[in-house]
Amino acid sequence: MTTRDEVAQLAGVSASVVSYVVNNGPRKVSPSTKQKVLEAIEKLNYRPNSIARALRVKKTLALGLIVPDSSNPFFAALVQSIEDIAYENGYTLLIGNASNDQEREIDYIRAFSERQVDGLLLVSSVSTTRSLEQLQKLDLPFVIVDRLVDDKLSVSTVVADNETGGYLATEHLLWHGHKNIACLAGPSDLTPSADRYRGWQKAMEKAGLEASPNLLIRSEFSSLQGYFAVKKLLETNGSITALFVSTDSQAIGALRAVIETGLDIPRDFAIVSFDNISQAAFTCPPLSTINQPIEQMGKVSIEMLLESMQNPKANFSKQVLPVELSIRRSCGCKYAI
Amino acid sequence: MTTRDEVAQLAGVSASVVSYVVNNGPRKVSPSTKQKVLEAIEKLNYRPNSIARALRVKKTLALGLIVPDSSNPFFAALVQSIEDIAYENGYTLLIGNASNDQEREIDYIRAFSERQVDGLLLVSSVSTTRSLEQLQKLDLPFVIVDRLVDDKLSVSTVVADNETGGYLATEHLLWHGHKNIACLAGPSDLTPSADRYRGWQKAMEKAGLEASPNLLIRSEFSSLQGYFAVKKLLETNGSITALFVSTDSQAIGALRAVIETGLDIPRDFAIVSFDNISQAAFTCPPLSTINQPIEQMGKVSIEMLLESMQNPKANFSKQVLPVELSIRRSCGCKYAI
DNA sequence: TTGAAAGCGCTAACAC
DNA sequence: GTGTTAGCGCTTTCAA
């Protein structure tokens, strides 16, 4: 690797001048010397060492992102959207897959902070509290994504309006005339899961129906677990005619479980789920689902992070992004895609 | 941020001793001083600055990974498996999504090398040649994943046995009695796509059938593009009864296109695809597909990279990983999942 | 318009 | 067993 000093030597100038031309500043250099430097850079194929630069200026232009499961389509889409905006802003993304493991998550927080990332985006695997403790004593700008934290804490968060989403989904199922509407929720310690569940509950109660415990089942956020959960539900409860599922991933398994019992969707059984991942348009039947503005979520997250990087611990904000029902076929509506 | 010098001062020792206890070497320190240092570290909540360390030792313990589209389920799975092994080995992953854009890919190569990653894993978006030029003059260990390069080049690669996969898939369709077997390939400049296509071609020819151009269609690697391509194919060619699709993503769209024409799969029409992403088990009907050993691919890639990091430009290797047919329902076989 | 020099936080070779 | 010191490659202030 060639260094700045070698360039300086070849160009016959001092090291600082090389720096000025590489960074276009902070001082001006005469066109002729600039030319010489540029030629030397070209000739030696010089590339500035950003590690050395980072040490000096105390900025790495790197951001950390930790997610529970990067191959889950929802997170994959979120990661992509975040990566995109990071790239636009000249930042590089360090990615950590916590694999739904709290220890690993905390490990990554530490590793990324040691690597001096300028900011951190975190989607917690389990509860956010322990990671929060870790982060608080780290003096590292961060924002919590897709997880709600105690309102009293001075922590920036961005989430979708999960409760409203659960409500809208259930309401739509009620509108189709269903009364026995079950809910397939996710793990209870994740706030999106809890909020979507609450939305279902409220819609049921508003309609004068009981959100009874035996209408509620839970599973991890995967198609396979969704499949098993619904399979079991249908074996024990034959009167159910509709289901609100807390993620599209689970719904993909749910569809299969329902179909295997010989029921036709949507004729005999309706499903509305949540997320609107791109696969939702290609299930059979296509999923009616609550659209989560994934791109916007990524965009807002980074914007908030950059904001709090400029204004360290000044202001924090809690953003709740709107959701809407995206109608396809699984709910019983007539129109396709 | 507290630094090593502050720790040294509080513990009443020299800076090097702090270094020795933090790194468990290279020199021994007496238990008592070690204790003092540890206490100071604890008290000040000291975290070593790995940027400074990297500058000194010329190792960042960071690896770069560039993929064409991180939200594509296949790449998402690949990224996850690579991240996992990187983590096990104490490396952090910088991730770059090229968005199928050659310029952006090259941009990332440059950015990652400036960041002094210890090694790079690349899945090219378009042709690998331009990126290869860039990499060659960079003196950065790298391995090309899921793309073949000219055998004569001293470049390490790991790919699945795509041609055999295409052959096996088509052979299975032939075994089911199909004769008019079309092929939905991917972009022709990507080697996996070209190789899978060749597998189809060879199987057809071996069976004495013509791999005629009007049995071949192409689309990008997405469900939506797969859908459009097959839709068009079926409109213009009514005699086709089976289809080999070069990726599961495309096949998900293909399934839908076929079903919309009123045909039943697998009764009237059979499909075998490629990749065996986790979603393939949940389509309807579930996809029979060529299993690509994604985890192993990640594992082997990193191993090869670590190898060539230790042995700079000494030896390179070209690994071809075996594939196998994973039978579900879309091909016409009777057994499920 | 440019050069010299200090120093970012760390490691490790050289002293003792 | 421990302290001192010379850098790693860079930015930027201080001088000229």
Side-chain angles (χ1 to χ4, degrees):
Chain A
M1 277 287 85
T2 107
T3 80
R4 182 210 50 175
D5 285 18
E6 304 176 51
V7 174
Q9 190 164 17
L10 178 62
V13 298
S14 80
S16 33
V17 175
V18 178
S19 194
Y20 302 144
V21 352
V22 167
N23 303 327
N24 273 318
R27 292 206 307 217
K28 293 199 51 160
V29 333
S30 77
S32 66
T33 36
K34 181 167 184 174
Q35 186 54 29
K36 281 190 297 183
V37 173
L38 256 15
E39 275 166 17
I41 287 177
E42 174 69 18
K43 196 155 173 183
L44 299 175
N45 193 27
Y46 168 70
R47 295 281 149 224
N49 179 331
S50 56
I51 290 291
R53 174 170 219 284
L55 178 60
R56 180 63 230 243
V57 305
K58 292 177 181 308
K59 281 206 182 318
T60 52
L61 288 179
L63 262 25
L65 170 60
I66 303 173
V67 295
D69 174 10
S70 65
S71 73
N72 172 311
F74 171 71
F75 292 123
L78 185 64
V79 168
Q80 185 178 33
S81 101
I82 287 173
E83 194 266 1
D84 227 64
I85 306 177
Y87 177 77
E88 276 174 26
N89 286 274
Y91 283 87
T92 293
L93 209 56
L94 309 200
I95 188 125
N97 188 324
S99 286
N100 289 308
D101 175 347
Q102 178 140 251
E103 292 313 317
R104 185 157 164 179
E105 179 173 313
I106 288 178
D107 223 43
Y108 264 124
I109 292 175
R110 204 186 46 248
F112 286 175
S113 97
E114 285 182 14
R115 276 176 194 281
Q116 316 295 121
V117 293
D118 295 335
L120 186 69
L121 257 19
L122 171 65
V123 185
S124 276
S125 283
V126 195
S127 140
T128 313
T129 50
R130 276 201 51 208
S131 295
L132 231 39
E133 284 172 27
Q134 185 75 201
L135 282 165
Q136 305 278 23
K137 60 184 174 197
L138 233 41
D139 158 53
L140 168 66
F142 67 92
V143 359
I144 302 296
V145 185
D146 195 32
R147 301 291 183 258
L148 228 36
V149 304
D150 190 332
D151 262 359
K152 291 186 286 288
L153 295 174
S154 308
V155 169
S156 290
T157 56
V158 23
V159 292
D161 191 346
N162 290 301
E163 184 174 323
T164 300
Y167 187 91
L168 291 174
T170 311
E171 187 181 57
H172 187 68
L173 255 8
L174 288 162
W175 177 84
H176 270 289
H178 294 282
K179 304 246 178 274
N180 287 307
I181 305 172
C183 172
L184 169 50
S188 61
D189 41 7
L190 297 179
T191 62
S193 178
D195 292 346
R196 291 169 198 182
Y197 161 68
R198 194 166 330 108
W200 166 76
Q201 214 174 14
K202 287 200 177 166
M204 291 292 274
E205 283 163 7
K206 175 136 186 251
L209 298 167
E210 194 198 358
S212 96
N214 62 2
L215 287 175
L216 171 69
I217 47 174
R218 292 189 183 279
S219 89
E220 300 278 304
F221 290 144
S222 76
S223 300
L224 194 60
Q225 295 307 316
Y227 169 80
F228 288 136
V230 172
K231 199 92 178 163
K232 200 158 142 198
L233 174 75
L234 296 179
E235 276 167 14
T236 59
N237 193 330
S239 59
I240 291 167
T241 63
L243 181 63
F244 164 56
V245 184
S246 72
T247 64
D248 291 342
S249 284
Q250 289 163 292
I252 286 169
L255 284 172
R256 187 168 175 60
V258 172
I259 288 166
E260 282 185 6
T261 67
L263 295 167
D264 179 86
I265 301 175
R267 199 193 58 206
D268 312 319
F269 197 97
I271 289 183
V272 175
S273 56
F274 207 115
D275 282 348
N276 200 17
I277 58 179
S278 60
Q279 288 88 336
F282 287 97
T283 56
C284 78
L287 281 169
S288 291
T289 185
I290 300 295
N291 180 69
Q292 211 173 164
I294 301 185
E295 273 192 39
Q296 201 198 343
M297 210 152 152
K299 192 160 161 18
V300 171
S301 305
I302 296 249
E303 279 167 4
M304 278 174 49
L305 184 58
L306 295 178
E307 170 67 24
S308 73
M309 277 159 51
Q310 299 208 315
N311 249 320
K313 59 185 57 181
N315 46 1
F316 61 96
S317 77
K318 315 235 175 210
Q319 289 242 21
V320 178
L321 272 25
V323 299
E324 68 192 5
L325 178 60
S326 179
I327 293 178
R328 294 201 185 87
R329 295 296 319 279
S330 66
C331 60
C333 284
K334 297 271 165 52
Y335 31 107
I337 291 211
Chain B
M1 276 286 84
T2 107
T3 79
R4 181 209 51 173
D5 283 20
E6 304 177 50
V7 174
Q9 189 164 17
L10 178 62
V13 299
S14 80
S16 38
V17 175
V18 178
S19 192
Y20 301 144
V21 353
V22 167
N23 303 327
N24 273 317
R27 290 206 308 217
K28 294 199 50 161
V29 333
S30 78
S32 65
T33 36
K34 180 167 185 173
Q35 186 55 30
K36 280 190 298 184
V37 173
L38 256 15
E39 277 166 16
I41 286 176
E42 174 69 19
K43 196 153 171 184
L44 299 174
N45 192 30
Y46 168 71
R47 294 282 148 225
N49 180 332
S50 55
I51 290 290
R53 174 169 218 283
L55 178 60
R56 181 61 230 241
V57 304
K58 294 179 180 307
K59 280 206 182 318
T60 52
L61 289 178
L63 261 25
L65 170 61
I66 303 173
V67 296
D69 174 9
S70 66
S71 73
N72 172 310
F74 170 73
F75 292 124
L78 185 64
V79 168
Q80 185 177 35
S81 102
I82 286 173
E83 195 267 1
D84 227 63
I85 305 176
Y87 177 77
E88 275 174 26
N89 286 275
Y91 282 88
T92 295
L93 252 202
L94 310 202
I95 188 123
N97 188 325
S99 286
N100 289 307
D101 175 349
Q102 177 140 252
E103 292 313 317
R104 185 157 163 177
E105 178 174 314
I106 288 178
D107 222 44
Y108 264 124
I109 292 175
R110 206 187 43 246
F112 286 174
S113 97
E114 286 182 12
R115 276 176 194 282
Q116 317 294 120
V117 294
D118 295 335
L120 186 68
L121 257 20
L122 171 65
V123 186
S124 277
S125 282
V126 195
S127 142
T128 311
T129 49
R130 276 202 49 208
S131 296
L132 231 39
E133 284 172 27
Q134 186 75 201
L135 282 164
Q136 304 278 24
K137 60 183 173 196
L138 235 39
D139 159 54
L140 168 66
F142 67 92
V143 0
I144 302 295
V145 185
D146 194 32
R147 301 290 182 260
L148 228 37
V149 305
D150 190 332
D151 261 359
K152 292 185 284 288
L153 296 173
S154 309
V155 169
S156 290
T157 56
V158 23
V159 292
D161 191 346
N162 291 301
E163 183 173 323
T164 300
Y167 187 91
L168 290 175
T170 311
E171 186 180 59
H172 187 68
L173 255 8
L174 288 162
W175 177 85
H176 270 288
H178 294 282
K179 305 247 178 272
N180 287 306
I181 305 172
C183 172
L184 169 49
S188 60
D189 42 7
L190 297 179
T191 62
S193 178
D195 292 346
R196 291 170 197 181
Y197 160 68
R198 194 167 330 107
W200 166 78
Q201 214 173 14
K202 287 201 176 165
M204 292 292 275
E205 282 162 6
K206 174 134 186 256
L209 298 167
E210 194 199 355
S212 96
N214 63 2
L215 287 175
L216 170 68
I217 46 174
R218 292 189 183 278
S219 87
E220 301 278 305
F221 291 144
S222 76
S223 300
L224 194 59
Q225 294 308 316
Y227 169 80
F228 287 136
V230 173
K231 198 90 179 166
K232 199 158 142 198
L233 174 74
L234 296 179
E235 275 167 15
T236 59
N237 193 330
S239 59
I240 292 167
T241 64
L243 181 62
F244 163 56
V245 184
S246 72
T247 65
D248 291 342
S249 285
Q250 290 163 291
I252 286 170
L255 283 172
R256 187 168 175 60
V258 173
I259 288 166
E260 282 185 5
T261 66
L263 294 167
D264 179 86
I265 302 175
R267 199 193 57 205
D268 313 319
F269 197 97
I271 289 183
V272 174
S273 56
F274 207 115
D275 282 348
N276 201 16
I277 58 179
S278 60
Q279 287 89 335
F282 287 95
T283 56
C284 75
L287 281 169
S288 291
T289 185
I290 300 296
N291 181 69
Q292 211 173 164
I294 301 185
E295 273 191 40
Q296 201 198 342
M297 209 153 153
K299 191 159 158 24
V300 171
S301 305
I302 295 251
E303 279 167 2
M304 279 173 49
L305 184 58
L306 295 178
E307 169 68 25
S308 73
M309 277 160 50
Q310 299 207 314
N311 248 321
K313 58 184 57 182
N315 47 0
F316 61 95
S317 75
K318 315 232 176 214
Q319 291 244 18
V320 178
L321 305 177
V323 298
E324 67 192 6
L325 178 60
S326 180
I327 293 178
R328 295 202 184 87
R329 296 295 320 277
S330 66
C331 59
C333 284
K334 296 272 164 50
Y335 29 109
I337 291 214

